[in-house]
Amino acid sequence: MARVTGLTVEHHRVPFGIGERSPRLSWTIVDAAPGQTQTAYELRVVRGPLSPEPAKFSVKVTSGASQLVPVLVTPLSSREQITIEARCWLDDSDEPTPWSEALTVEAGLLDPTDWKSDFVSPSPDDRRAEVRGAHVLRTVFDAVPSDQIARARIYATAHGVYDIELNGGRVGDQLLAPGWTSYTHRLRYQTYDVTAQLADGRNELRVWLADGWYRGKLGFNGGRWNNYGTDLSVLLQLEITTHDGVVAVVDLDDVWQHAPAPIASVGLYEGEEHDARDDIPWSPDSDALEWAAAVRLPRSLFPAALVAPDGPPVRAIEELAPVSVERRPSGGLRFDFGQNISGKLAFTAVGPAGHTVVLRHAEVLEDDELASRPLRGAPSVDRYTFAGHPEGESWTPRFTFHGFRYAEIDNWPGDYAEGSVRAVVVHSDMERTGYFETSNPTLDKFHENVVWSMRDNFLDLPTDCPQRDERLGWTGDIQVFGPAAAFLYRSTGTLISWMRDVAAEQAADGAVPNFVPWIECGFPADSAAGWGDVAVFLPWTLYERTGDRAILATQFDSMRRWVDHVAALTRGTGLWNKGFQLGDWLDPAAPPERPDDSRTDRYLVATAYHARSAVLLARAAGVLGKDAERTHYEKIAGRARAAFLREFVSPSGRLVSDTETAISLALVFELLDTEEQRRVAGARLVDLVEDSGYVIRTGFIGTPLICDALASVGATDVAYHLLLQTKNPSWLYAVTMGATTVWERWDSMLPDGSINPGEMTSFNHYSLGAVVDFMHRRIAGLDFAEPGYRRIRVDPHPGGGLTSAAARLATPYGEASVSWRREGRELAMSLVVPTGVEADVVVPGEVRPRVFRSGSHDIRFPARSATTDPAPKRVRNLHNPDEGEPAPLLAG
Ligand code: BGC
């Protein structure tokens, strides 16, 4: 029997304390009969006591829409709670489905005037450029008796990072709140339900506060301190609603006190130093302590908008036990967690008072030592001094995180007892949506490594790496990784939040910083192609993967300003041929100390990106019904494409930079003019890859495109050779070297086990893992045909000796999956199409795709001709000779 399930609003995982006044609802339908579709839906809404609308209403709508549909006529008011249930009618049935489970939605503080509290600070003006300690703020207040309380909420944010405690218990489970946004423009607040934690009568509220991103050191080249201000302060509003519906803001501003936290020093890069002898006891003993009065800083001093979160918070996601523990000759303990993570250690031990353990972290070992050189200016050392409790002490750092697989603890008290040290994985708590596997374990391991690099680099915003003195929102990295990110996790909320910061930090002339939030640390401020283009590419990707036009509508101005900016740089010629560029960053041919020195002309890259961004912008204008803009940007795109052809392409189809990256850009961004040019360029691309011996010769720009480029000219088997190569440089080389995440450089670790001498060498960058998007779409064959997967395209390209491959995705409409197996000369495919969706299945030798309606389907077709693509030149079988049939498998 069909059911309505999975209710969500906007892109929230849990719609609590949201900032949207008119949140749109989405649901999925499960257990429907094959081929059934929704013809109507009904919503039943109960509005809270603060509502301007009738407390209860229901609407029935004749529509097949189940995504992002409007719910309310009158928008939510601040704090308002509503519950929504949905049911629907399928086909012509008179009987609706049962009502879904109710979804509760609660608004945060939607108007600036809702904030009655001010910031309070233990450290209002500290200009030192050094690592500082943390503070505890506390306030004691009386609450009305609990039987009168309907609900209690804390709305909080900070200049710094904070944790809240109430009456001895932790409030919420978020880490490093409020996260990192462009604090000068947008400061996120969090909403907490503290109803159950309030005590009758006396209550003690504490806030731990440390520098974090706001005042701590950020950035490379020595980094910068006090990036957003010299104060450290918290803004906290406690509201109690009694059963009669009256909301009272508890007046706390003048009663905040503070004391130094037992954290003597802490920084995101530096690590944390905690002395448990200084732990602050809970009330009533805490009254005896020396508390100083906190300084009140009026909200009006800080112009940043207070905004509700768009995505999930950062949390401790899981704990890993070490796969090995070793006593080092020095006496210290070495742990290998078997996985490179972003996070921290947690331990339990009995130690004498005053005894200090030192925790050091590294991604890899070199010469059998923790390799700390790649961390550069991020020492990543934690220290804990025992209070001496005979029953033992448990600790994990509160306000820092590290990128590591290995850790050493010096001075461990006594013998090591199994289970006493764990690694805590910390990142944005997004829901996993996409999975992929094949018959090739090395390829699957690579995919798993990409998933880990995504996890480790989505710590509140999309970053380049989690370990060294960067951890910055590099725009180019997420520009190329966006499609993969959208498949693997429900990351839209996290990414739209960050896109708002991109828009906020865009210069008056439309320039986009190369990383966002921007930190002034000596890096060129001019936007690089492929990096600044995130302003257009990422909103477009998110629209394609979610079907949410509002993302385009919100970002349209930012997208437009970027394309206008570049058009102005080209002085209307369309040729971007001047100024700063990063080019095909990290081309393996570039010397370690000159990562931008690629073989591909940097202005070829720039002009190609300009043309593509203008095309995508014109498409976005089309989606939004902005016809004049569409025509305008089509013209700009045409001009850029003409300039590209004039400057970089011979009439016959050869490119000025005779490189894989140049040709891939021309093919995938559809910049060539004629079929003949495509044929010549494609053949040349195949030649280049063959001549290289199927190793990688592309950097950040070419790598995400080359497999698609090869597939587009019928050379999928060449793409497989490249993809399955294990020699350096290749995607799988790192896997053969024991990698558990994707590396920044193809050879971050050299074949002899030494670390690349370049000073920029991370073992956890997702960019080069962007190719998994190709694997999902082309190897398994699960692709979207219409935005939001309303229609899916199934077009697997078996090859590379794989005997099976599968992908599944929780699309907005429910789970879709494709899995195929070679069975003799046939390909056996199982397909699951969600309700409300149709699938176009490309069957070899057939002119039109076969259309499948929702449900499960088993299909068989001849494998030998699994593609109608022309045969590429025969290639040598360089890999996996033992696995399945030797390549080439597709044709010929
Ligand atoms: C970052 C990159 C980034 C690049 C561009 C590096 O330091 O880690 O991933 O895109 O700089 O300059």
Side-chain angles (χ1 to χ4, degrees):
M1 164 96 136
R3 282 181 302 121
V4 171
T5 180
L7 268 59
T8 51
V9 294
E10 297 298 322
H11 299 284
H12 294 290
R13 190 163 184 184
V14 180
F16 180 71
I18 66 169
E20 293 87 355
R21 291 170 193 269
S22 299
R24 299 161 300 164
L25 181 74
S26 306
W27 61 87
T28 55
I29 299 166
V30 293
D31 300 336
Q36 278 193 317
T37 55
Q38 174 190 306
T39 47
Y41 65 85
E42 183 172 6
L43 306 181
R44 188 156 71 184
V45 181
V46 180
R47 298 193 71 152
L50 305 169
S51 164
E53 254 172 43
K56 252 186 200 183
F57 67 90
S58 62
V59 269
K60 184 173 171 187
V61 184
T62 307
S63 162
S66 62
Q67 296 304 306
L68 301 162
V69 303
V71 179
L72 301 174
V73 180
T74 324
L76 286 177
S77 41
S78 290
R79 313 170 181 89
E80 188 183 346
Q81 214 181 55
I82 58 172
T83 57
I84 314 171
E85 292 159 287
R87 64 177 177 177
C88 66
W89 283 259
L90 297 169
D91 295 341
D92 299 328
S93 162
D94 295 335
E95 269 301 296
T97 63
W99 285 104
S100 68
E101 273 182 29
L103 175 74
T104 301
V105 177
E106 185 173 316
L109 299 182
L110 304 177
D111 292 303
T113 52
D114 291 325
W115 290 92
K116 308 292 180 214
S117 306
D118 279 321
F119 283 88
V120 286
S121 174
S123 172
D125 184 20
D126 183 344
R127 289 159 195 256
R128 286 174 300 161
E130 61 187 47
V131 62
R132 289 164 277 225
H135 301 262
V136 174
L137 286 137
R138 77 138 192 186
T139 178
V140 175
F141 63 92
D142 283 324
V144 289
S146 54
D147 57 3
Q148 295 176 23
I149 297 178
R151 66 184 214 196
R153 297 287 181 265
I154 285 177
Y155 304 94
T157 186
H159 292 161
V161 282
Y162 75 90
D163 276 354
I164 305 175
E165 291 171 344
L166 182 55
N167 300 323
R170 180 81 205 274
V171 171
D173 56 359
Q174 320 203 345
L175 299 181
L176 299 166
W180 190 15
T181 48
S182 177
Y183 293 141
T184 31
H185 302 95
R186 306 186 327 118
L187 179 61
R188 251 192 239 130
Y189 68 88
Q190 286 70 38
T191 304
Y192 303 93
D193 179 357
V194 291
T195 319
Q197 279 171 283
L198 281 180
D200 280 341
R202 183 186 192 277
N203 286 267
E204 182 172 344
L205 185 65
R206 286 188 190 170
V207 183
W208 293 66
L209 193 57
D211 289 352
W213 293 281
Y214 186 84
R215 205 172 70 164
K217 184 172 82 165
L218 291 178
F220 46 101
N221 291 332
R224 261 189 53 156
W225 298 89
N226 311 324
N227 283 286
Y228 296 96
T230 53
D231 66 307
L232 185 66
S233 50
V234 65
L235 172 63
L236 185 150
Q237 187 156 307
L238 169 64
E239 298 189 354
I240 296 177
T241 307
T242 37
H243 288 300
D244 54 10
V246 175
V247 182
V249 176
V250 181
D251 186 6
L252 302 171
D253 284 358
D254 289 325
V255 289
W256 285 101
Q257 303 171 307
H258 70 95
I263 301 172
S265 81
V266 59
L268 295 171
Y269 294 170
E270 291 79 6
E272 183 164 317
E273 233 178 294
H274 185 116
D275 191 336
R277 293 171 300 180
D278 299 332
D279 282 353
I280 303 171
W282 272 93
S283 54
D285 301 354
S286 59
D287 291 343
L289 238 90
E290 293 236 337
W291 294 93
V295 178
R296 185 167 173 161
L297 299 174
R299 250 176 312 115
S300 56
L301 291 176
F302 308 105
L306 295 168
V307 297
D310 296 297
V314 172
R315 291 196 170 98
I317 304 293
E318 65 174 306
E319 289 197 351
L320 305 181
V323 295
S324 76
V325 183
E326 180 196 339
R327 184 67 78 175
R328 301 294 296 158
S330 60
L333 291 170
R334 175 181 293 168
F335 301 87
D336 174 3
F337 292 96
Q339 178 59 52
N340 200 15
I341 64 162
S342 63
K344 51 190 188 161
L345 295 177
F347 69 75
T348 307
V350 187
H355 182 91
T356 302
V357 287
V358 182
L359 289 54
R360 293 177 295 117
H361 308 78
E363 294 187 286
V364 292
L365 303 177
E366 189 176 31
D367 297 329
D368 200 27
E369 294 298 332
L370 294 187
S372 49
R373 175 177 63 87
L375 302 178
R376 299 193 312 211
S380 311
V381 178
D382 301 325
R383 291 190 170 76
Y384 178 81
T385 302
F386 286 81
H389 301 303
E391 70 283 8
E393 289 160 52
S394 292
W395 184 71
T396 186
R398 197 182 272 272
F399 291 129
T400 192
F401 69 94
H402 314 296
F404 69 102
R405 166 180 168 169
Y406 298 93
E408 283 185 12
I409 303 188
D410 295 334
N411 220 14
W412 184 259
D415 290 338
Y416 176 73
E418 203 186 314
S420 26
V421 175
R422 285 103 48 214
V424 185
V425 177
V426 174
H427 55 77
S428 292
D429 192 6
M430 304 167 294
E431 182 190 346
R432 178 87 189 263
T433 46
Y435 297 84
F436 171 85
E437 64 183 335
T438 68
S439 55
N440 182 326
T442 319
L443 193 63
D444 289 4
K445 178 64 183 158
F446 170 72
H447 190 271
E448 192 190 328
N449 290 357
V450 176
V451 172
W452 270 103
S453 277
M454 171 167 177
R455 298 177 63 176
D456 298 341
N457 279 300
F458 270 65
L459 201 151
D460 203 54
L461 74 170
T463 63
D464 57 335
C465 58
Q467 76 298 82
R468 68 174 178 230
D469 52 354
E470 286 194 61
R471 316 183 192 183
L472 301 172
W474 281 96
T475 48
D477 303 42
I478 190 60
Q479 186 271 112
V480 298
F481 194 72
F487 184 93
L488 295 172
Y489 278 88
R490 219 178 281 294
S491 47
T492 311
T494 303
L495 291 173
I496 55 181
S497 170
W498 181 76
M499 287 308 309
R500 293 187 211 284
D501 286 340
V502 170
E505 296 204 350
Q506 220 168 337
D509 68 356
V512 172
N514 290 310
F515 52 86
V516 175
W518 179 250
I519 300 296
E520 203 54 72
C521 55
F523 197 81
D526 295 345
S527 316
W531 273 251
D533 289 284
V534 79
V536 173
F537 274 65
L538 190 54
W540 181 256
T541 297
L542 295 176
Y543 163 67
E544 283 186 323
R545 304 300 173 113
T546 63
D548 185 2
R549 289 161 194 234
I551 297 174
L552 295 179
T554 309
Q555 292 303 127
F556 191 77
D557 186 54
S558 158
M559 298 165 82
R560 190 183 52 72
R561 294 204 299 127
W562 166 250
V563 174
D564 289 349
H565 172 71
V566 180
L569 289 179
T570 75
R571 294 172 313 282
T573 66
L575 181 68
W576 190 359
N577 63 353
K578 282 208 173 46
F580 173 74
Q581 293 297 342
L582 292 165
D584 190 22
W585 182 254
L586 283 171
D587 176 338
E593 65 294 350
R594 288 290 315 276
D596 62 331
D597 195 8
S598 87
R599 293 171 309 131
T600 305
D601 188 309
R602 59 191 58 210
Y603 298 115
L604 179 152
V605 172
T607 306
Y609 260 98
H610 179 40
R612 189 63 177 173
S613 272
V615 165
L616 297 183
L617 175 57
R619 286 186 194 162
V623 171
L624 297 173
K626 296 175 183 284
D627 292 337
E629 284 92 335
R630 195 190 65 206
T631 313
H632 175 69
Y633 289 106
E634 275 169 357
K635 253 188 229 145
I636 298 212
R639 212 177 289 156
R641 186 161 169 271
F644 183 87
L645 284 163
R646 211 169 42 240
E647 189 82 5
F648 303 111
V649 188
S650 81
S652 68
R654 298 293 299 268
L655 274 102
V656 159
S657 288
D658 190 25
T659 63
E660 287 92 326
T661 292
I663 301 173
S664 298
L665 279 167
L667 288 170
V668 178
F669 287 1
E670 298 172 317
L671 299 172
L672 300 178
D673 226 7
T674 62
E675 260 321 296
E676 179 58 10
Q677 281 186 334
R678 286 183 67 78
R679 198 193 58 75
V680 170
R684 182 63 192 150
L685 179 61
V686 170
D687 277 347
L688 287 171
V689 177
E690 283 185 3
D691 291 350
S692 75
Y694 308 97
V695 293
I696 286 283
R697 295 199 294 186
T698 49
F700 268 36
I701 297 295
T703 302
L705 306 179
I706 188 165
C707 288
D708 272 306
L710 286 164
S712 78
V713 297
T716 312
D717 57 349
V718 180
Y720 269 110
H721 274 288
L722 201 54
L723 196 56
L724 298 179
Q725 173 67 269
T726 52
K727 243 178 27 196
N728 179 32
S730 67
W731 282 288
L732 300 191
Y733 162 71
V735 177
T736 65
M737 293 294 287
T740 61
T741 39
V742 182
W743 296 349
E744 175 175 31
R745 294 173 182 271
W746 295 107
D747 55 352
S748 284
M749 182 178 283
L750 303 176
D752 66 3
S754 62
I755 294 176
N756 189 300
E759 56 101 44
M760 189 193 78
T761 301
S762 134
F763 291 86
N764 207 351
H765 258 62
Y766 50 55
S767 313
L768 300 178
V771 70
V772 297
D773 187 54
F774 169 85
M775 289 158 53
H776 306 144
R777 286 183 288 103
R778 287 288 187 152
I779 295 186
L782 180 54
D783 199 356
F784 63 91
E786 281 176 20
Y789 294 84
R790 176 89 219 203
R791 187 168 198 95
I792 58 180
R793 180 178 165 87
V794 178
D795 185 11
H797 282 52
L802 302 182
T803 54
S804 66
R808 71 189 150 91
L809 175 69
T811 74
Y813 296 91
E815 183 156 301
S817 70
V818 179
S819 86
W820 56 257
R821 252 179 355 273
R822 282 181 168 278
E823 286 184 359
R825 301 196 147 259
E826 284 194 322
L827 204 69
M829 186 200 280
S830 300
L831 177 67
V832 176
V833 183
T835 300
V837 173
E838 287 190 347
D840 296 326
V841 178
V842 179
V843 176
E846 295 181 12
V847 186
R848 288 177 179 287
R850 288 191 210 165
V851 177
F852 288 83
R853 302 190 70 191
S854 59
S856 303
H857 308 278
D858 289 313
I859 319 160
R860 301 181 83 85
F861 43 79
R864 278 300 286 176
S865 52
T867 177
T868 50
D869 293 333
K873 283 166 70 171
R874 283 207 76 84
V875 287
R876 286 161 290 153
N877 185 17
L878 293 173
H879 51 77
N880 297 339
D882 309 330
E883 213 176 78
E885 274 179 71
L889 294 164
L890 296 178

